[in-house]
Amino acid sequence: MEVNQELSEKAKADLILVEEAKKGNEKAFAGLMTRYRDSIYYMLLKMVNNPSDAEDLTIEAFGKAFRNIDSYTPKYAFSTWLFKIASNNCVDFIRKKQGYP
C-alpha cells in the first residue's frame, strides 16, 4: 500500500480504518461514518435545503462509498473522496428533481 506522506494524521488514521473496512470490518465502517456523518449531512443540507433529503442523501453517500471502497486509493485523503461522492450524488439528485435527464 502506497501512502501519500503528505496526508494529515487524521487522514492517515482514516486510511487504517479504510484498510480494515476493505476487509469487511464493520467497526471500521462505523468509525468512518461516525467521523464524517455530521459534516457530510451539513454539506448536503446546504445544497438541498431540506433536512429529510439531506438525511437520505447522507445515507446514500455512505452506501455508495462503502460499496465502492475497493476503488479508493490513498493518493488523496479518504474525506476528499467521500465528500466528492456525496456532492456528486447530490448534484444528480438535484438534476433529477428539477427534471433534467
Side-chain angles (χ1 to χ4, degrees):
M1 170 179 66
E2 182 184 323
V3 177
N4 183 340
Q5 296 305 314
E6 296 177 22
L7 293 178
S8 68
E9 289 307 309
K10 184 177 182 188
K12 288 177 185 175
D14 285 352
L15 194 52
I16 292 167
L17 289 173
V18 168
E19 289 305 315
E20 285 301 308
K22 283 181 177 182
K23 297 174 190 171
N25 182 328
E26 290 183 18
K27 285 186 179 181
F29 281 122
L32 290 165
M33 265 195 86
T34 299
R35 269 184 184 211
Y36 293 107
R37 189 177 202 325
D38 288 348
S39 50
I40 293 285
Y41 171 79
Y42 288 113
M43 175 192 75
L44 295 171
L45 183 59
K46 285 180 186 175
M47 292 176 76
V48 296
N49 201 26
N50 179 307
S52 179
D53 287 344
E55 182 67 31
D56 290 346
L57 288 164
T58 299
I59 293 165
E60 280 182 30
F62 278 101
K64 284 185 178 190
F66 293 144
R67 278 192 306 278
N68 296 298
I69 200 151
D70 286 334
S71 70
Y72 169 74
T73 58
K75 184 175 180 183
Y76 303 102
F78 174 77
S79 57
T80 303
W81 183 76
L82 179 61
F83 275 81
K84 192 70 176 164
I85 288 171
S87 61
N88 286 347
N89 190 50
C90 187
V91 167
D92 290 346
F93 170 82
I94 292 167
R95 282 186 185 137
K96 285 178 191 160
K97 199 171 185 180
Q98 293 175 343
Y100 293 105

